[in-house]
Amino acid sequence: MVDGAGAPPRTDGAGMTGAVECRYHGRDFTVAEMALLRELIAGPPALSRHALSKEFCRRIG
């Protein structure tokens, strides 16, 4: 996703809805998505960044 300068934040994450918690490289992450990401980072087994990103994307669709 590419946003123009000054574009309003989007709240329609892939498969999840809710308030935007942060924006990274033009993509808005909802509170629910950030909670999922934190859970994946903290939970066993420890995942590599590659495995973490694949699992996160799989879960959010």
Side-chain angles (χ1 to χ4, degrees):
M1 168 193 320
V2 177
D3 296 321
R10 296 177 52 157
T11 57
D12 57 342
M16 295 184 159
T17 60
V20 173
E21 182 172 325
C22 73
R23 175 178 281 191
Y24 185 72
H25 284 272
R27 198 246 194 232
D28 294 326
F29 288 85
T30 65
V31 172
E33 290 169 333
M34 291 303 297
L36 172 60
L37 188 55
R38 289 182 185 104
E39 177 184 319
L40 290 172
I41 291 169
L47 299 174
S48 67
R49 287 188 297 170
H50 181 254
L52 177 66
S53 64
K54 287 184 76 163
E55 181 62 16
F56 178 78
C57 290
R58 184 187 71 77
R59 291 201 191 183
I60 66 168

Coordinates of all heavy atoms in Angstrom, one line a residue:
M1 N 0.8 -1.2 0.0 CA 0.0 0.0 0.0 C 0.9 1.2 0.0 O 1.8 1.3 0.8 CB -0.9 0.0 1.3 CG -1.6 1.2 1.5 SD -2.3 1.4 3.2 CE -3.0 -0.1 3.5
V2 N 0.6 2.2 -0.8 CA 1.3 3.4 -0.9 C 0.4 4.5 -0.6 O -0.7 4.7 -1.2 CB 2.0 3.6 -2.2 CG1 2.7 5.0 -2.3 CG2 2.9 2.5 -2.5
D3 N 0.7 5.4 0.4 CA -0.2 6.5 0.8 C 0.5 7.8 0.3 O 1.7 7.9 0.4 CB -0.4 6.6 2.3 CG -1.1 5.3 2.8 OD1 -2.1 4.9 2.1 OD2 -0.8 4.9 3.9
G4 N -0.3 8.7 -0.2 CA 0.2 10.0 -0.5 C 0.5 10.8 0.7 O 0.0 10.5 1.8
A5 N 1.4 11.8 0.6 CA 1.7 12.6 1.7 C 0.4 13.3 2.3 O -0.4 13.8 1.5 CB 2.7 13.7 1.3
G6 N 0.2 13.2 3.6 CA -0.9 13.8 4.2 C -2.2 13.0 4.1 O -3.3 13.4 4.5
A7 N -2.1 11.8 3.5 CA -3.3 11.0 3.4 C -3.8 10.5 4.8 O -3.0 10.3 5.6 CB -3.0 9.7 2.5
P8 N -5.1 10.5 5.0 CA -5.6 10.0 6.3 C -5.3 8.6 6.5 O -5.2 7.8 5.5 CB -7.1 10.2 6.1 CG -7.4 10.2 4.7 CD -6.2 10.7 4.0
P9 N -5.1 8.2 7.7 CA -4.8 6.8 8.0 C -5.9 5.9 7.6 O -7.1 6.2 7.8 CB -4.5 6.7 9.5 CG -5.1 8.0 10.0 CD -5.1 9.0 8.9
R10 N -5.6 4.7 7.1 CA -6.6 3.7 6.8 C -6.8 2.8 8.0 O -5.9 2.5 8.7 CB -6.2 2.9 5.6 CG -6.1 3.7 4.4 CD -5.6 2.9 3.2 NE -6.4 1.7 3.1 CZ -6.6 1.0 2.0 NH1 -6.0 1.4 0.9 NH2 -7.4 0.0 1.9
T11 N -8.0 2.3 8.2 CA -8.3 1.4 9.3 C -8.7 0.0 8.8 O -9.3 -0.8 9.6 CB -9.4 2.0 10.2 OG1 -10.6 2.2 9.4 CG2 -8.9 3.3 10.9
D12 N -8.5 -0.3 7.6 CA -9.0 -1.6 7.0 C -7.8 -2.5 6.8 O -7.4 -2.8 5.7 CB -9.8 -1.4 5.7 CG -9.0 -0.6 4.7 OD1 -8.0 0.0 5.0 OD2 -9.4 -0.7 3.5
G13 N -7.2 -3.0 7.9 CA -6.2 -4.0 7.8 C -6.7 -5.3 7.1 O -7.9 -5.5 7.0
A14 N -5.8 -6.1 6.7 CA -6.2 -7.4 6.0 C -6.9 -8.3 6.9 O -6.3 -9.0 7.7 CB -5.0 -8.0 5.4
G15 N -8.2 -8.4 6.8 CA -9.0 -9.4 7.6 C -9.3 -8.9 9.0 O -10.0 -9.6 9.7
M16 N -8.8 -7.8 9.4 CA -9.1 -7.3 10.8 C -9.5 -5.9 10.7 O -9.1 -5.1 9.8 CB -7.9 -7.4 11.7 CG -7.4 -8.8 11.9 SD -6.0 -8.8 13.1 CE -6.0 -10.4 13.7
T17 N -10.4 -5.5 11.6 CA -10.8 -4.1 11.7 C -10.5 -3.5 13.1 O -10.3 -4.3 14.0 CB -12.3 -3.9 11.4 OG1 -13.0 -4.7 12.3 CG2 -12.6 -4.4 10.0
G18 N -10.5 -2.2 13.2 CA -10.3 -1.6 14.5 C -9.4 -0.3 14.3 O -9.1 0.1 13.2
A19 N -9.1 0.2 15.5 CA -8.4 1.5 15.5 C -6.9 1.2 15.1 O -6.4 0.2 15.4 CB -8.4 2.1 16.9
V20 N -6.4 2.2 14.4 CA -5.0 2.1 13.9 C -4.0 2.4 15.1 O -4.2 3.4 15.8 CB -4.7 3.1 12.8 CG1 -3.2 3.1 12.4 CG2 -5.5 2.7 11.6
E21 N -3.1 1.4 15.4 CA -2.1 1.6 16.4 C -0.9 2.3 15.9 O -0.2 3.1 16.5 CB -1.8 0.3 17.1 CG -0.8 0.5 18.3 CD -0.6 -0.7 19.1 OE1 -1.6 -1.5 19.3 OE2 0.5 -0.9 19.6
C22 N -0.4 1.8 14.7 CA 0.8 2.4 14.1 C 0.8 2.2 12.6 O 0.0 1.4 12.1 CB 2.0 1.7 14.8 SG 2.3 0.0 14.2
R23 N 1.7 2.9 12.0 CA 1.8 2.8 10.5 C 3.3 2.5 10.3 O 4.2 3.1 10.8 CB 1.5 4.1 9.9 CG 1.8 4.1 8.3 CD 1.4 5.4 7.7 NE -0.1 5.3 7.5 CZ -0.8 6.2 6.8 NH1 -0.2 7.2 6.2 NH2 -2.1 6.0 6.7
Y24 N 3.6 1.5 9.4 CA 4.9 1.1 9.1 C 5.0 0.9 7.6 O 4.2 0.1 7.0 CB 5.3 -0.2 9.8 CG 6.7 -0.6 9.6 CD1 7.7 0.1 10.3 CD2 7.0 -1.7 8.8 CE1 9.1 -0.3 10.1 CE2 8.3 -2.1 8.7 CZ 9.3 -1.4 9.3 OH 10.7 -1.7 9.1
H25 N 5.9 1.7 7.0 CA 6.1 1.6 5.5 C 4.7 1.8 4.8 O 4.4 1.1 3.8 CB 6.7 0.3 5.1 CG 8.2 0.4 5.3 ND1 9.1 0.9 4.5 CD2 8.9 0.0 6.4 CE1 10.3 0.8 5.0 NE2 10.2 0.2 6.2
G26 N 3.9 2.7 5.2 CA 2.6 3.0 4.6 C 1.5 2.1 4.8 O 0.4 2.2 4.3
R27 N 1.7 1.1 5.7 CA 0.7 0.1 6.0 C 0.2 0.4 7.5 O 1.0 0.4 8.4 CB 1.2 -1.3 5.9 CG 0.0 -2.3 5.8 CD 0.1 -3.2 6.9 NE -0.8 -4.4 6.8 CZ -1.7 -4.7 7.6 NH1 -1.9 -4.0 8.7 NH2 -2.4 -5.8 7.5
D28 N -1.1 0.5 7.7 CA -1.6 0.7 9.0 C -1.8 -0.6 9.7 O -2.3 -1.6 9.1 CB -3.0 1.4 8.9 CG -2.8 2.8 8.4 OD1 -1.8 3.5 8.7 OD2 -3.7 3.3 7.7
F29 N -1.4 -0.7 10.9 CA -1.6 -1.9 11.7 C -2.6 -1.6 12.8 O -2.4 -0.6 13.6 CB -0.3 -2.4 12.3 CG 0.6 -3.0 11.3 CD1 1.5 -2.2 10.6 CD2 0.7 -4.3 11.1 CE1 2.3 -2.7 9.6 CE2 1.5 -4.9 10.1 CZ 2.3 -4.1 9.4
T30 N -3.6 -2.4 12.9 CA -4.7 -2.2 14.0 C -4.2 -2.6 15.3 O -3.1 -3.3 15.4 CB -6.0 -2.9 13.6 OG1 -5.7 -4.3 13.7 CG2 -6.5 -2.6 12.3
V31 N -4.9 -2.2 16.4 CA -4.6 -2.6 17.7 C -4.6 -4.2 17.8 O -3.7 -4.8 18.4 CB -5.6 -2.0 18.7 CG1 -5.4 -2.6 20.1 CG2 -5.4 -0.5 18.7
A32 N -5.5 -4.8 17.2 CA -5.6 -6.3 17.2 C -4.5 -6.9 16.5 O -3.9 -7.9 16.9 CB -7.0 -6.7 16.6
E33 N -4.0 -6.3 15.3 CA -2.9 -6.9 14.6 C -1.6 -6.7 15.4 O -0.8 -7.7 15.4 CB -2.8 -6.2 13.3 CG -3.9 -6.6 12.3 CD -3.9 -5.7 11.1 OE1 -3.4 -4.6 11.1 OE2 -4.4 -6.2 10.0
M34 N -1.4 -5.6 16.1 CA -0.2 -5.4 16.9 C -0.2 -6.4 18.1 O 0.8 -6.9 18.5 CB -0.1 -3.9 17.4 CG 0.2 -3.0 16.2 SD 1.7 -3.4 15.3 CE 2.9 -3.2 16.6
A35 N -1.4 -6.6 18.7 CA -1.5 -7.6 19.8 C -1.1 -9.0 19.3 O -0.4 -9.7 20.0 CB -2.9 -7.6 20.4
L36 N -1.6 -9.3 18.1 CA -1.2 -10.6 17.6 C 0.3 -10.7 17.3 O 1.0 -11.7 17.7 CB -1.9 -10.9 16.3 CG -1.5 -12.1 15.5 CD1 -1.7 -13.4 16.3 CD2 -2.2 -12.2 14.1
L37 N 0.9 -9.7 16.8 CA 2.3 -9.6 16.5 C 3.1 -9.8 17.8 O 4.1 -10.5 17.9 CB 2.7 -8.4 15.8 CG 4.1 -8.3 15.2 CD1 4.4 -9.4 14.3 CD2 4.3 -6.9 14.5
R38 N 2.7 -9.0 18.8 CA 3.4 -9.1 20.1 C 3.3 -10.5 20.7 O 4.2 -11.1 21.3 CB 2.8 -8.1 21.1 CG 3.2 -6.7 20.7 CD 2.7 -5.7 21.8 NE 3.0 -4.4 21.3 CZ 2.1 -3.5 20.8 NH1 0.8 -3.9 20.7 NH2 2.5 -2.3 20.4
E39 N 2.1 -11.2 20.5 CA 1.9 -12.5 21.0 C 2.8 -13.5 20.3 O 3.5 -14.4 20.9 CB 0.5 -12.9 20.8 CG 0.1 -14.3 21.2 CD -1.3 -14.7 20.8 OE1 -2.2 -13.8 21.0 OE2 -1.5 -15.8 20.3
L40 N 3.0 -13.3 19.0 CA 3.8 -14.2 18.2 C 5.3 -14.0 18.6 O 6.1 -15.0 18.7 CB 3.7 -14.0 16.7 CG 2.3 -14.4 16.1 CD1 2.2 -13.9 14.7 CD2 2.2 -15.9 16.2
I41 N 5.7 -12.8 18.8 CA 7.1 -12.5 19.2 C 7.4 -13.1 20.6 O 8.5 -13.7 20.8 CB 7.3 -11.0 19.2 CG1 7.3 -10.4 17.8 CG2 8.7 -10.7 19.9 CD1 7.3 -8.9 17.7
A42 N 6.5 -13.0 21.5 CA 6.7 -13.4 22.9 C 6.6 -14.9 23.1 O 7.2 -15.5 24.0 CB 5.8 -12.7 23.9
G43 N 5.7 -15.6 22.3 CA 5.4 -17.0 22.5 C 6.4 -18.0 22.0 O 7.1 -17.7 21.0
P44 N 6.4 -19.1 22.6 CA 7.3 -20.2 22.1 C 6.6 -20.8 20.9 O 5.4 -20.8 20.8 CB 7.3 -21.2 23.3 CG 6.1 -20.9 24.1 CD 5.7 -19.4 23.9
P45 N 7.3 -21.3 20.0 CA 8.7 -21.3 19.9 C 9.2 -19.9 19.4 O 8.5 -19.2 18.7 CB 9.1 -22.4 18.9 CG 7.9 -22.4 18.0 CD 6.7 -22.1 18.8
A46 N 10.5 -19.6 19.7 CA 11.0 -18.3 19.1 C 11.1 -18.5 17.6 O 11.6 -19.5 17.1 CB 12.4 -18.1 19.7
L47 N 10.6 -17.5 16.9 CA 10.5 -17.5 15.5 C 11.6 -16.6 14.9 O 11.8 -15.5 15.4 CB 9.1 -17.2 15.0 CG 8.0 -18.0 15.4 CD1 6.7 -17.4 14.9 CD2 8.1 -19.4 14.8
S48 N 12.1 -16.9 13.8 CA 13.0 -16.0 13.0 C 12.1 -14.9 12.5 O 10.9 -15.1 12.4 CB 13.7 -16.7 11.9 OG 12.8 -17.2 10.9
R49 N 12.7 -13.8 12.0 CA 11.9 -12.7 11.5 C 11.1 -13.2 10.2 O 10.0 -12.9 10.0 CB 12.8 -11.5 11.1 CG 13.3 -10.8 12.3 CD 14.0 -9.5 12.0 NE 15.2 -9.8 11.2 CZ 15.9 -8.9 10.6 NH1 15.6 -7.6 10.6 NH2 17.0 -9.2 9.9
H50 N 11.7 -14.1 9.4 CA 11.1 -14.6 8.2 C 9.9 -15.5 8.6 O 8.8 -15.3 8.1 CB 12.1 -15.4 7.4 CG 11.5 -16.0 6.2 ND1 11.2 -17.3 6.0 CD2 11.1 -15.4 5.0 CE1 10.6 -17.5 4.9 NE2 10.6 -16.4 4.2
A51 N 10.1 -16.4 9.6 CA 9.0 -17.2 10.0 C 7.9 -16.4 10.7 O 6.7 -16.7 10.6 CB 9.5 -18.3 11.0
L52 N 8.3 -15.4 11.5 CA 7.4 -14.6 12.2 C 6.5 -13.8 11.2 O 5.2 -13.8 11.3 CB 8.1 -13.6 13.0 CG 7.3 -12.5 13.8 CD1 6.5 -13.2 14.9 CD2 8.2 -11.5 14.4
S53 N 7.1 -13.3 10.1 CA 6.3 -12.5 9.1 C 5.3 -13.5 8.4 O 4.2 -13.1 8.1 CB 7.2 -11.8 8.2 OG 8.0 -12.6 7.4
K54 N 5.8 -14.7 8.1 CA 4.9 -15.6 7.4 C 3.7 -16.0 8.2 O 2.6 -16.1 7.8 CB 5.7 -16.8 6.9 CG 6.7 -16.5 5.8 CD 7.4 -17.8 5.3 CE 6.4 -18.6 4.5 NZ 7.0 -19.6 3.7
E55 N 4.0 -16.3 9.5 CA 2.9 -16.7 10.4 C 1.9 -15.6 10.6 O 0.7 -15.8 10.7 CB 3.5 -17.2 11.7 CG 2.5 -17.7 12.7 CD 1.7 -18.9 12.3 OE1 2.0 -19.6 11.3 OE2 0.6 -19.1 12.9
F56 N 2.5 -14.4 10.8 CA 1.6 -13.2 11.0 C 0.7 -13.0 9.8 O -0.5 -12.9 9.9 CB 2.4 -12.0 11.2 CG 1.6 -10.7 11.4 CD1 1.0 -10.4 12.6 CD2 1.5 -9.8 10.3 CE1 0.2 -9.3 12.7 CE2 0.7 -8.6 10.4 CZ 0.1 -8.4 11.6
C57 N 1.2 -13.1 8.6 CA 0.4 -12.9 7.4 C -0.6 -14.1 7.2 O -1.7 -13.8 6.8 CB 1.4 -12.8 6.1 SG 2.3 -11.3 6.1
R58 N -0.2 -15.3 7.5 CA -1.1 -16.4 7.5 C -2.3 -16.2 8.4 O -3.4 -16.4 8.0 CB -0.4 -17.7 7.8 CG -1.2 -18.9 7.7 CD -0.5 -20.2 8.2 NE -0.5 -20.2 9.7 CZ -1.5 -20.5 10.5 NH1 -2.7 -20.8 10.0 NH2 -1.3 -20.5 11.8
R59 N -2.0 -15.7 9.6 CA -3.1 -15.5 10.5 C -4.1 -14.4 10.2 O -5.2 -14.4 10.5 CB -2.6 -15.3 11.9 CG -1.9 -16.6 12.5 CD -1.9 -16.6 14.0 NE -1.1 -17.6 14.5 CZ -0.9 -17.8 15.8 NH1 -1.5 -17.0 16.7 NH2 -0.1 -18.8 16.2
I60 N -3.5 -13.3 9.6 CA -4.4 -12.2 9.3 C -5.1 -12.3 7.9 O -5.9 -11.5 7.5 CB -3.7 -10.8 9.4 CG1 -2.6 -10.6 8.4 CG2 -3.2 -10.6 10.8 CD1 -2.1 -9.2 8.3
G61 N -4.6 -13.3 7.1 CA -5.2 -13.6 5.8 C -4.6 -12.7 4.8 O -5.2 -12.3 3.8

